Amino acid sequence: MMLQDGPVQLLCLTANSGVPLFTRGSSKPLPFSVIGSLNGVHMFGVGQGVSLLSCDTGGGGKVVWRVFKDSVMLIAVSGGQRSQSSLVKEELYLQRLLDNVWGCMVLVLGQDELVSVRNVERLKRDLRACFSLIDLLLDERQQSIMGNLTHCADSLLPPNPALLQEAMAGFAQAVDSECGCLVIHGRLAAATEKWCHLMPQEVALLLTLMQTLSNSGSSSCDYPVFLPQTSPTVALRLLRFQLLPGADVCVLCGPTPSLHKAESQLLCQFWSPLVDSLRDCLAVGERCLPPSVILRQDVLSLMLINRETHRSVSCVRTLSHQPDPLLPSRARCWELLKLFYIFSITRYFHKEDCLFEEQTLGSSEDFVQGFPHQPLQCYLVTEECKCYGLQTSQHQLFLLLPLSVPAFTLRSVANQTLSQIVTSTGF
């Protein structure tokens, strides 16, 4: 049974002295003595020439340590009863969480401020600007957002992509930028070529930042950002504009143009003629797929990843007003989809962006080494549903189906679903 219970607490300390910088996650933070012990056991290991990466607790929880740039230590602590296989899945989730939190800190403050700590109290104050982003990463209610886990950009496939792509390219050029995107309900709908060449984690973090800026209620903003891998020490300007509720456009640019000029002179020129197209995109909603894609009735949820572009689309079927008690709820389908993704990439499928994780998740790698080939398909039967994973040179597809679907038909359902989406959208 795939379970992931209990809140995750995040601790941030200075790597050398162990001074706490902040804690996030649970409403009841860990006592200072426990925080000191977690830091102390890691420092003891370092003194003995041992790098402590993770450990399991007696109560079935997991603790993961990461030190970034020999300056900042992040510790993730999760609780709850878990099996040994669930702990492997939990470790990958926590490793990516810590990587994303560090990315958020660099995104907002820049790497220099975090590596060269001159005043700890000032750093504590500055880090408060990261809290809304970090809290969003820790928020388990963000069910339909997968990019923080997959390091692929959550995407929405619009009914009229050519018009939106042309407008996006024209608007970006008008504001003297090569890097911009259109975001619908927190998902990428159109982007310039340069935006698509950003590192996958950077795109996922920028989409998270866009969500927090959108939640603030402002219609536009001029926000300095550091790209954690592409530009960690030199700030860029992120200009964000709300086109319609739920539809935002943003660009990364230099000192010009001003926010006022871009908003008053250029925004309407490119986007006013496309109001109807934007509303069509908004109507797609969490389905993320245009009406031209007709899914089988027995597909409960799916996630399709394009391995070349590092974009993904995911959706959960909308249940009827009288849901079948034998089927998992909509929220549970999102949870199961994430857990099946973790299960698949920790045991079967290749992970392009997990170099650190490949060194730390030893039990999973030992499992994979038992195969004389690279697995291309896998399936799992749980107490709630059947899961099927399919990997090609370009795509990874993860499906959840009812228990009533015969096991021998799972492969044909997966191939049919993949063909239907790719043929209709070119994704």
Side-chain angles (χ1 to χ4, degrees):
M1 195 175 198
M2 296 187 293
L3 297 173
Q4 187 171 334
D5 301 323
V8 175
Q9 293 199 50
L10 178 71
L11 315 174
C12 180
L13 310 90
T14 58
N16 295 327
S17 57
V19 176
L21 297 175
F22 66 80
T23 62
R24 307 300 295 174
S26 176
S27 58
K28 185 179 180 181
L30 292 173
F32 181 79
S33 58
V34 175
I35 297 175
S37 298
L38 292 174
N39 177 62
V41 69
H42 185 275
M43 292 183 66
F44 176 80
V46 172
Q48 302 301 313
V50 177
S51 180
L52 179 60
L53 302 177
S54 66
C55 75
D56 303 335
T57 68
K62 172 75 73 172
V63 182
V64 174
W65 291 262
R66 288 282 296 275
V67 176
F68 296 88
K69 301 296 181 181
D70 296 323
S71 177
V72 172
M73 176 190 293
L74 292 175
I75 306 174
V77 182
S78 68
Q81 297 289 338
R82 292 169 175 81
S83 65
Q84 189 62 36
S85 60
S86 296
L87 287 171
V88 173
K89 303 184 191 76
E90 182 77 358
E91 183 164 352
L92 182 136
Y93 166 75
L94 295 177
Q95 294 285 5
R96 293 204 169 181
L97 173 64
L98 296 187
D99 199 35
N100 289 331
V101 170
W102 169 255
C104 286
M105 294 163 64
V106 175
L107 187 75
V108 175
L109 300 182
Q111 185 172 285
D112 289 344
E113 292 296 318
L114 299 169
V115 173
S116 303
V117 181
R118 299 178 181 85
N119 188 315
V120 173
E121 293 303 319
R122 178 183 173 184
L123 179 60
K124 287 182 181 180
R125 292 193 299 269
D126 293 343
L127 283 170
R128 294 174 186 170
C130 308
F131 286 175
S132 59
L133 270 172
I134 294 172
D135 291 343
L136 202 57
L137 294 175
L138 292 169
D139 189 356
E140 296 181 356
R141 293 171 297 178
Q142 296 288 111
Q143 298 167 340
S144 61
I145 300 301
M146 312 287 279
N148 296 326
L149 175 63
T150 64
H151 283 180
C152 294
D154 290 290
S155 301
L156 179 146
L157 305 183
N160 41 13
L163 288 175
L164 299 175
Q165 194 66 39
E166 182 180 356
M168 186 67 250
F171 179 68
Q173 184 177 7
V175 297
D176 197 22
S177 171
E178 295 181 333
C179 205
C181 71
L182 172 68
V183 180
I184 304 293
H185 292 311
R187 298 172 175 83
L188 200 64
T192 64
E193 183 178 356
K194 192 68 175 290
W195 181 279
C196 296
H197 289 163
L198 294 176
M199 298 301 292
Q201 185 198 22
E202 293 175 339
V203 175
L205 291 176
L206 285 169
L207 290 178
T208 303
L209 175 61
M210 288 275 287
Q211 187 174 355
T212 62
L213 296 174
S214 179
N215 292 341
S216 69
S218 64
S219 61
S220 63
C221 64
D222 186 342
Y223 197 93
V225 295
F226 298 83
L227 300 181
Q229 295 163 324
T230 305
S231 181
T233 59
V234 178
L236 303 173
R237 293 173 66 214
L238 175 71
L239 301 185
R240 170 206 157 257
F241 307 96
Q242 184 183 73
L243 305 176
L244 292 172
D248 299 271
V249 64
C250 77
V251 291
L252 293 172
C253 62
T256 58
S258 67
L259 178 67
H260 175 73
K261 179 180 178 180
E263 185 173 20
S264 61
Q265 300 181 19
L266 302 174
L267 198 64
C268 292
Q269 175 184 344
F270 287 93
W271 295 105
S272 290
L274 298 180
V275 170
D276 290 338
S277 296
L278 292 172
R279 286 179 177 149
D280 290 341
C281 285
L282 290 168
V284 171
E286 283 192 358
R287 187 175 187 267
C288 296
L289 298 170
S292 60
V293 177
I294 302 176
L295 298 176
R296 294 172 54 111
Q297 288 297 314
D298 50 12
V299 174
L300 295 178
S301 64
L302 69 85
M303 177 167 60
L304 177 61
I305 294 175
N306 187 313
R307 301 171 67 191
E308 294 181 355
T309 62
H310 295 283
R311 295 178 64 179
S312 72
V313 291
S314 54
C315 65
V316 169
R317 192 183 76 187
T318 301
L319 302 177
S320 61
H321 295 295
Q322 295 180 340
D324 189 340
L326 299 179
L327 297 177
S329 66
R330 183 176 177 84
R332 182 59 176 163
C333 281
W334 280 118
E335 183 181 10
L336 290 171
L337 187 60
K338 291 180 181 180
L339 293 173
F340 179 58
Y341 166 79
I342 296 175
F343 173 85
S344 300
I345 66 169
T346 54
R347 287 185 170 264
Y348 300 106
F349 293 160
H350 180 64
K351 310 180 290 295
E352 289 86 350
D353 65 330
C354 300
L355 297 180
F356 180 85
E357 290 152 6
E358 289 176 358
Q359 299 170 5
T360 59
L361 302 179
S363 58
S364 298
E365 292 304 307
D366 293 340
F367 182 87
V368 173
Q369 289 173 5
F371 292 96
H373 61 283
Q374 171 65 49
L376 300 179
Q377 301 178 62
C378 67
Y379 77 96
L380 178 69
V381 179
T382 75
E383 297 176 356
E384 301 171 87
C385 65
K386 291 179 179 177
C387 312
Y388 197 86
L390 172 65
Q391 177 170 261
T392 69
S393 59
Q394 187 175 359
H395 295 98
Q396 287 179 341
L397 176 66
F398 305 90
L399 285 179
L400 265 61
L401 303 107
L403 290 172
S404 59
V405 176
F408 67 86
T409 67
L410 295 177
R411 177 183 295 181
S412 62
V413 172
N415 285 320
Q416 179 182 340
T417 302
L418 176 62
S419 176
Q420 167 70 5
I421 297 175
V422 174
T423 301
S424 300
T425 65
F427 182 75

